[in-house]
């Protein structure tokens, strides 16, 4: 079972949403701090301001970490998905190579049989082997192109 890229993206988006909500909390704290400064003039205000500023810094650090985490999750999920797709493509190429090799051998064998005994039935066998060969070649070329595009 491979990675569910959509689910992973959704989870990373939830983390981004949480980071945005925390940014809003930091902004609200900044507003409260400003209002407290306007309406409360006391010695202990500097301690309250310092505490609020520390809290805002911690929240800003956390939002930055969450945003980075969300981005990292998305990037790693894409890379894992690409590697899974590449592994599948390589397996398909291996299968296509085996089929192509067999079809090539059969085609060569049919050519030799036809040239040694050019009968109508040998011509039909040769034509069938030729069609199989070119079909296998096409599948091999497609599989090769897919692996190259993912590498």
């Amino acid at each position: 079972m491979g990675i569910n890229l959509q689910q992973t993206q959704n989870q990373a988006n939830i983390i981004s949403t949480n980071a945005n909500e925390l940014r809003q909390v930091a902004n609200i704290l900044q507003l409260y701090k400003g209002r407290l400064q306007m309406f409360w003039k006391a010695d202990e205000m500097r301690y309250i301001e310092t505490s609020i500023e520390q809290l805002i810094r911690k929240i800003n650090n956390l939002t930055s970490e969450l945003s980075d985490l969300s981005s990292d999750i998305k990037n790693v999920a894409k890379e894992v998905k690409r590697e899974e797709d590449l592994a599948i493509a390589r397996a398909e190429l291996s299968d296509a190579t085996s089929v192509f090799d067999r079809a090539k051998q059969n085609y060569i064998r049919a050519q030799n049989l036809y040239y040694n005994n050019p009968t109508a039935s040998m011509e039909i066998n040769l034509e069938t082997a030729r069609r199989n060969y070119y079909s296998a070649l096409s599948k091999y070329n497609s599989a090769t192109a897919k692996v190259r595009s993912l590498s």
Side-chain angles (χ1 to χ4, degrees):
M1 181 174 173
I3 189 168
N4 183 333
L5 192 57
Q6 184 63 44
Q7 182 181 13
T8 305
Q9 297 281 349
N10 289 342
Q11 290 169 340
N13 289 338
I14 289 169
I15 292 171
S16 290
T17 299
N18 290 339
N20 290 332
E21 289 172 358
L22 279 174
R23 273 188 204 92
Q24 291 173 354
V25 168
N27 291 336
I28 291 169
L29 281 173
Q30 190 67 39
L31 289 173
Y32 285 154
K33 184 182 112 182
R35 288 187 181 155
L36 281 172
Q37 289 170 334
M38 283 187 343
F39 298 111
W40 190 7
K41 304 293 183 195
D43 292 336
E44 60 270 8
M45 242 335 266
R46 69 174 184 230
Y47 300 113
I48 293 172
E49 287 174 6
T50 301
S51 295
I52 292 173
E53 288 168 1
Q54 287 174 347
L55 187 55
I56 291 171
R57 275 194 301 278
K58 286 180 181 179
I59 290 172
N60 287 336
N61 288 338
L62 182 57
T63 59
S64 178
E65 288 178 24
L66 287 173
S67 294
D68 290 346
L69 177 63
S70 174
S71 178
D72 289 348
I73 288 171
K74 289 177 183 179
N75 291 335
V76 168
K78 286 177 188 175
E79 181 62 23
V80 168
K81 178 67 172 151
R82 189 194 68 75
E83 288 182 16
E84 287 175 351
D85 291 346
L86 180 58
I88 291 168
R90 284 183 174 151
E92 290 170 355
L93 176 58
S94 177
D95 292 345
T97 300
S98 297
V99 170
F100 172 70
D101 287 342
R102 283 192 304 277
K104 182 179 175 183
Q105 291 169 359
N106 289 340
Y107 185 38
I108 291 169
R109 199 171 314 125
Q111 284 176 330
N112 291 334
L113 289 172
Y114 176 75
Y115 293 132
N116 290 331
N117 185 14
T119 63
S121 67
M122 288 296 167
E123 186 175 355
I124 291 170
N125 287 344
L126 177 61
E127 181 58 26
T128 301
R130 186 190 68 75
R131 272 189 262 121
N132 290 342
Y133 169 78
Y134 283 108
S135 174
L137 177 61
S138 175
K139 290 176 184 174
Y140 170 79
N141 288 338
S142 294
T144 300
K146 187 173 182 181
V147 167
R148 283 187 186 139
S149 73
L150 293 169
S151 294

